[in-house]
Amino acid sequence: MLRCKKTRITSAHQGFVTDGIHSNTLAAYELAAQKGADMIETDARMTKDGVLIVNHDADIRGYNKDGNEVTCLISQTNYSDIQKISLLKDNADVNRVPTLKEALDFAYKKGMCINIDLKEGIKHAEQIANLVVQTGMRGRTVYATNGAGAEAVNLILTIDPDAKFIDTKQNYTKEALKSVKDYPSKCFVYTGDFSDENIKQIRESGCMLAAISLNKDNAKDAFVHHPDMAEYPHTSDFSEIEK
């Protein structure tokens, strides 16, 4: 008997959140795994003392052990101080900022893939790719190059030859990626515009299609185009969208 297999990667943007769980935490990734996501999307930044951590913004806004609001700039703060911050006032133990290694270890143990947004572009791409390889996530990582282009792609491929990449339609054109060997099998273009004309332009670039910002209202339009990746916002219920 023939069995149909899912043709797309299901990605959870910064994990999945619920009451008492902040996005981009190990708890949010755990919830995404329970929901059945194939991939977690996350963000990489480096602290003052050279630790790669997971956080979307350049600063961290949270609470200290006394419950008072605190803000720190990641690039000017050591990780030992960031560890003491809870992203939510309640449920502090599960709302700590994880290291990128912790996120990679989590994905490895769960058998998931990971999409790492290089928030600082090519600046720390080499260290991130080395960490991916060291944690056994080679071939299971998609790097969001964030405008760093073919230079970052080719650099990462020297370290992680099985890597894949994602960026916007403007950054991932045939011309922009011409120096990347076999780029169509390595690169995704992400979009939340599911018009026929926009999807046609993406397909003409040769890249794979990643549909982002999905919800139960726009999912039907997105899936008509058979995306190679489907990314859900961390506040969306996967099951409702999959219906």
Side-chain angles (χ1 to χ4, degrees), residues 5 15 21 39 56 62 64 71 92 160 168 171 216 242:
K5 294 182 179 179
I21 301 295
M39 174 186 285
H56 181 272
N64 62 19
T71 300
D160 181 5
T168 63
N171 291 328
K216 63 182 180 180
E242 291 290 348

mmCIF file with all atom_site columns, all heavy atoms in Angstrom, residues 5 15 21 39 56 62 64 71 92 160 168 171 216 242:
data_model
loop_
_atom_site.group_PDB
_atom_site.id
_atom_site.type_symbol
_atom_site.label_atom_id
_atom_site.label_alt_id
_atom_site.label_comp_id
_atom_site.label_asym_id
_atom_site.label_entity_id
_atom_site.label_seq_id
_atom_site.pdbx_PDB_ins_code
_atom_site.Cartn_x
_atom_site.Cartn_y
_atom_site.Cartn_z
_atom_site.occupancy
_atom_site.B_iso_or_equiv
_atom_site.pdbx_formal_charge
_atom_site.auth_seq_id
_atom_site.auth_comp_id
_atom_site.auth_asym_id
_atom_site.auth_atom_id
_atom_site.pdbx_PDB_model_num
ATOM 1   N N   . LYS A 1 5   ? 3.420   10.964 2.211  1.00 0.00 ? 5   LYS A N   1
ATOM 2   C CA  . LYS A 1 5   ? 4.282   11.573 3.212  1.00 0.00 ? 5   LYS A CA  1
ATOM 3   C C   . LYS A 1 5   ? 4.157   13.090 3.129  1.00 0.00 ? 5   LYS A C   1
ATOM 4   O O   . LYS A 1 5   ? 3.926   13.647 2.059  1.00 0.00 ? 5   LYS A O   1
ATOM 5   C CB  . LYS A 1 5   ? 5.738   11.160 2.989  1.00 0.00 ? 5   LYS A CB  1
ATOM 6   C CG  . LYS A 1 5   ? 5.995   9.670  3.203  1.00 0.00 ? 5   LYS A CG  1
ATOM 7   C CD  . LYS A 1 5   ? 7.470   9.350  3.012  1.00 0.00 ? 5   LYS A CD  1
ATOM 8   C CE  . LYS A 1 5   ? 7.733   7.873  3.261  1.00 0.00 ? 5   LYS A CE  1
ATOM 9   N NZ  . LYS A 1 5   ? 9.159   7.533  3.069  1.00 0.00 ? 5   LYS A NZ  1
ATOM 10  N N   . GLY A 1 15  ? 9.607   28.699 18.689 1.00 0.00 ? 15  GLY A N   1
ATOM 11  C CA  . GLY A 1 15  ? 8.925   27.716 19.505 1.00 0.00 ? 15  GLY A CA  1
ATOM 12  C C   . GLY A 1 15  ? 7.426   27.940 19.534 1.00 0.00 ? 15  GLY A C   1
ATOM 13  O O   . GLY A 1 15  ? 6.845   28.529 18.627 1.00 0.00 ? 15  GLY A O   1
ATOM 14  N N   . ILE A 1 21  ? 4.879   30.842 29.436 1.00 0.00 ? 21  ILE A N   1
ATOM 15  C CA  . ILE A 1 21  ? 6.029   30.394 28.651 1.00 0.00 ? 21  ILE A CA  1
ATOM 16  C C   . ILE A 1 21  ? 6.400   31.473 27.633 1.00 0.00 ? 21  ILE A C   1
ATOM 17  O O   . ILE A 1 21  ? 5.584   31.858 26.793 1.00 0.00 ? 21  ILE A O   1
ATOM 18  C CB  . ILE A 1 21  ? 5.735   29.083 27.893 1.00 0.00 ? 21  ILE A CB  1
ATOM 19  C CG1 . ILE A 1 21  ? 5.358   27.968 28.871 1.00 0.00 ? 21  ILE A CG1 1
ATOM 20  C CG2 . ILE A 1 21  ? 6.925   28.678 27.035 1.00 0.00 ? 21  ILE A CG2 1
ATOM 21  C CD1 . ILE A 1 21  ? 6.460   27.558 29.812 1.00 0.00 ? 21  ILE A CD1 1
ATOM 22  N N   . MET A 1 39  ? 10.830  21.496 12.993 1.00 0.00 ? 39  MET A N   1
ATOM 23  C CA  . MET A 1 39  ? 11.933  22.454 13.128 1.00 0.00 ? 39  MET A CA  1
ATOM 24  C C   . MET A 1 39  ? 11.552  23.543 14.123 1.00 0.00 ? 39  MET A C   1
ATOM 25  O O   . MET A 1 39  ? 10.384  23.919 14.233 1.00 0.00 ? 39  MET A O   1
ATOM 26  C CB  . MET A 1 39  ? 12.234  23.087 11.757 1.00 0.00 ? 39  MET A CB  1
ATOM 27  C CG  . MET A 1 39  ? 13.261  24.201 11.780 1.00 0.00 ? 39  MET A CG  1
ATOM 28  S SD  . MET A 1 39  ? 13.429  25.002 10.152 1.00 0.00 ? 39  MET A SD  1
ATOM 29  C CE  . MET A 1 39  ? 14.358  23.765 9.271  1.00 0.00 ? 39  MET A CE  1
ATOM 30  N N   . HIS A 1 56  ? 15.873  37.338 20.153 1.00 0.00 ? 56  HIS A N   1
ATOM 31  C CA  . HIS A 1 56  ? 15.516  38.026 18.917 1.00 0.00 ? 56  HIS A CA  1
ATOM 32  C C   . HIS A 1 56  ? 16.102  39.430 18.858 1.00 0.00 ? 56  HIS A C   1
ATOM 33  O O   . HIS A 1 56  ? 16.698  39.831 17.861 1.00 0.00 ? 56  HIS A O   1
ATOM 34  C CB  . HIS A 1 56  ? 13.996  38.100 18.779 1.00 0.00 ? 56  HIS A CB  1
ATOM 35  C CG  . HIS A 1 56  ? 13.538  38.764 17.515 1.00 0.00 ? 56  HIS A CG  1
ATOM 36  N ND1 . HIS A 1 56  ? 13.355  40.136 17.410 1.00 0.00 ? 56  HIS A ND1 1
ATOM 37  C CD2 . HIS A 1 56  ? 13.259  38.253 16.291 1.00 0.00 ? 56  HIS A CD2 1
ATOM 38  C CE1 . HIS A 1 56  ? 12.968  40.434 16.186 1.00 0.00 ? 56  HIS A CE1 1
ATOM 39  N NE2 . HIS A 1 56  ? 12.901  39.319 15.480 1.00 0.00 ? 56  HIS A NE2 1
ATOM 40  N N   . GLY A 1 62  ? 13.653  41.890 30.900 1.00 0.00 ? 62  GLY A N   1
ATOM 41  C CA  . GLY A 1 62  ? 13.064  40.867 31.758 1.00 0.00 ? 62  GLY A CA  1
ATOM 42  C C   . GLY A 1 62  ? 13.031  41.311 33.205 1.00 0.00 ? 62  GLY A C   1
ATOM 43  O O   . GLY A 1 62  ? 12.842  42.499 33.497 1.00 0.00 ? 62  GLY A O   1
ATOM 44  N N   . ASN A 1 64  ? 14.719  40.638 37.366 1.00 0.00 ? 64  ASN A N   1
ATOM 45  C CA  . ASN A 1 64  ? 15.758  40.053 38.209 1.00 0.00 ? 64  ASN A CA  1
ATOM 46  C C   . ASN A 1 64  ? 15.126  39.180 39.284 1.00 0.00 ? 64  ASN A C   1
ATOM 47  O O   . ASN A 1 64  ? 13.898  39.012 39.326 1.00 0.00 ? 64  ASN A O   1
ATOM 48  C CB  . ASN A 1 64  ? 16.658  41.141 38.813 1.00 0.00 ? 64  ASN A CB  1
ATOM 49  C CG  . ASN A 1 64  ? 15.888  42.099 39.722 1.00 0.00 ? 64  ASN A CG  1
ATOM 50  O OD1 . ASN A 1 64  ? 14.791  41.803 40.209 1.00 0.00 ? 64  ASN A OD1 1
ATOM 51  N ND2 . ASN A 1 64  ? 16.473  43.260 39.969 1.00 0.00 ? 64  ASN A ND2 1
ATOM 52  N N   . THR A 1 71  ? 16.866  45.691 31.951 1.00 0.00 ? 71  THR A N   1
ATOM 53  C CA  . THR A 1 71  ? 17.174  45.661 30.517 1.00 0.00 ? 71  THR A CA  1
ATOM 54  C C   . THR A 1 71  ? 18.685  45.651 30.362 1.00 0.00 ? 71  THR A C   1
ATOM 55  O O   . THR A 1 71  ? 19.393  46.392 31.060 1.00 0.00 ? 71  THR A O   1
ATOM 56  C CB  . THR A 1 71  ? 16.603  46.899 29.787 1.00 0.00 ? 71  THR A CB  1
ATOM 57  O OG1 . THR A 1 71  ? 15.182  46.930 29.949 1.00 0.00 ? 71  THR A OG1 1
ATOM 58  C CG2 . THR A 1 71  ? 16.921  46.843 28.291 1.00 0.00 ? 71  THR A CG2 1
ATOM 59  N N   . ALA A 1 92  ? 9.814   31.772 36.624 1.00 0.00 ? 92  ALA A N   1
ATOM 60  C CA  . ALA A 1 92  ? 11.159  32.219 36.271 1.00 0.00 ? 92  ALA A CA  1
ATOM 61  C C   . ALA A 1 92  ? 12.078  31.080 35.835 1.00 0.00 ? 92  ALA A C   1
ATOM 62  O O   . ALA A 1 92  ? 12.905  31.253 34.933 1.00 0.00 ? 92  ALA A O   1
ATOM 63  C CB  . ALA A 1 92  ? 11.783  32.968 37.447 1.00 0.00 ? 92  ALA A CB  1
ATOM 64  N N   . ASP A 1 160 ? 30.135  23.559 7.331  1.00 0.00 ? 160 ASP A N   1
ATOM 65  C CA  . ASP A 1 160 ? 28.953  22.686 7.383  1.00 0.00 ? 160 ASP A CA  1
ATOM 66  C C   . ASP A 1 160 ? 28.461  22.466 5.949  1.00 0.00 ? 160 ASP A C   1
ATOM 67  O O   . ASP A 1 160 ? 27.534  23.131 5.492  1.00 0.00 ? 160 ASP A O   1
ATOM 68  C CB  . ASP A 1 160 ? 27.871  23.359 8.240  1.00 0.00 ? 160 ASP A CB  1
ATOM 69  C CG  . ASP A 1 160 ? 26.605  22.521 8.379  1.00 0.00 ? 160 ASP A CG  1
ATOM 70  O OD1 . ASP A 1 160 ? 26.608  21.379 7.894  1.00 0.00 ? 160 ASP A OD1 1
ATOM 71  O OD2 . ASP A 1 160 ? 25.625  23.015 8.960  1.00 0.00 ? 160 ASP A OD2 1
ATOM 72  N N   . THR A 1 168 ? 15.297  36.559 2.047  1.00 0.00 ? 168 THR A N   1
ATOM 73  C CA  . THR A 1 168 ? 14.200  37.148 1.290  1.00 0.00 ? 168 THR A CA  1
ATOM 74  C C   . THR A 1 168 ? 14.377  36.981 -0.220 1.00 0.00 ? 168 THR A C   1
ATOM 75  O O   . THR A 1 168 ? 15.462  36.650 -0.696 1.00 0.00 ? 168 THR A O   1
ATOM 76  C CB  . THR A 1 168 ? 14.110  38.656 1.571  1.00 0.00 ? 168 THR A CB  1
ATOM 77  O OG1 . THR A 1 168 ? 15.321  39.278 1.102  1.00 0.00 ? 168 THR A OG1 1
ATOM 78  C CG2 . THR A 1 168 ? 13.942  38.932 3.054  1.00 0.00 ? 168 THR A CG2 1
ATOM 79  N N   . ASN A 1 171 ? 17.160  39.154 -1.629 1.00 0.00 ? 171 ASN A N   1
ATOM 80  C CA  . ASN A 1 171 ? 18.540  38.738 -1.363 1.00 0.00 ? 171 ASN A CA  1
ATOM 81  C C   . ASN A 1 171 ? 18.929  37.433 -2.043 1.00 0.00 ? 171 ASN A C   1
ATOM 82  O O   . ASN A 1 171 ? 20.110  37.190 -2.286 1.00 0.00 ? 171 ASN A O   1
ATOM 83  C CB  . ASN A 1 171 ? 18.759  38.603 0.147  1.00 0.00 ? 171 ASN A CB  1
ATOM 84  C CG  . ASN A 1 171 ? 18.738  39.944 0.853  1.00 0.00 ? 171 ASN A CG  1
ATOM 85  O OD1 . ASN A 1 171 ? 19.135  40.949 0.291  1.00 0.00 ? 171 ASN A OD1 1
ATOM 86  N ND2 . ASN A 1 171 ? 18.259  39.960 2.083  1.00 0.00 ? 171 ASN A ND2 1
ATOM 87  N N   . LYS A 1 216 ? -4.653  30.290 10.343 1.00 0.00 ? 216 LYS A N   1
ATOM 88  C CA  . LYS A 1 216 ? -5.742  29.507 9.767  1.00 0.00 ? 216 LYS A CA  1
ATOM 89  C C   . LYS A 1 216 ? -6.450  30.252 8.634  1.00 0.00 ? 216 LYS A C   1
ATOM 90  O O   . LYS A 1 216 ? -7.143  29.629 7.830  1.00 0.00 ? 216 LYS A O   1
ATOM 91  C CB  . LYS A 1 216 ? -6.744  29.107 10.842 1.00 0.00 ? 216 LYS A CB  1
ATOM 92  C CG  . LYS A 1 216 ? -7.452  30.266 11.524 1.00 0.00 ? 216 LYS A CG  1
ATOM 93  C CD  . LYS A 1 216 ? -8.378  29.741 12.610 1.00 0.00 ? 216 LYS A CD  1
ATOM 94  C CE  . LYS A 1 216 ? -9.110  30.875 13.302 1.00 0.00 ? 216 LYS A CE  1
ATOM 95  N NZ  . LYS A 1 216 ? -10.014 30.372 14.371 1.00 0.00 ? 216 LYS A NZ  1
ATOM 96  N N   . GLU A 1 242 ? -3.196  23.272 10.213 1.00 0.00 ? 242 GLU A N   1
ATOM 97  C CA  . GLU A 1 242 ? -3.076  22.066 9.396  1.00 0.00 ? 242 GLU A CA  1
ATOM 98  C C   . GLU A 1 242 ? -4.425  21.607 8.846  1.00 0.00 ? 242 GLU A C   1
ATOM 99  O O   . GLU A 1 242 ? -4.502  20.968 7.808  1.00 0.00 ? 242 GLU A O   1
ATOM 100 C CB  . GLU A 1 242 ? -2.428  20.943 10.209 1.00 0.00 ? 242 GLU A CB  1
ATOM 101 C CG  . GLU A 1 242 ? -0.968  21.175 10.536 1.00 0.00 ? 242 GLU A CG  1
ATOM 102 C CD  . GLU A 1 242 ? -0.059  21.076 9.322  1.00 0.00 ? 242 GLU A CD  1
ATOM 103 O OE1 . GLU A 1 242 ? -0.501  20.606 8.274  1.00 0.00 ? 242 GLU A OE1 1
ATOM 104 O OE2 . GLU A 1 242 ? 1.102   21.481 9.432  1.00 0.00 ? 242 GLU A OE2 1
#
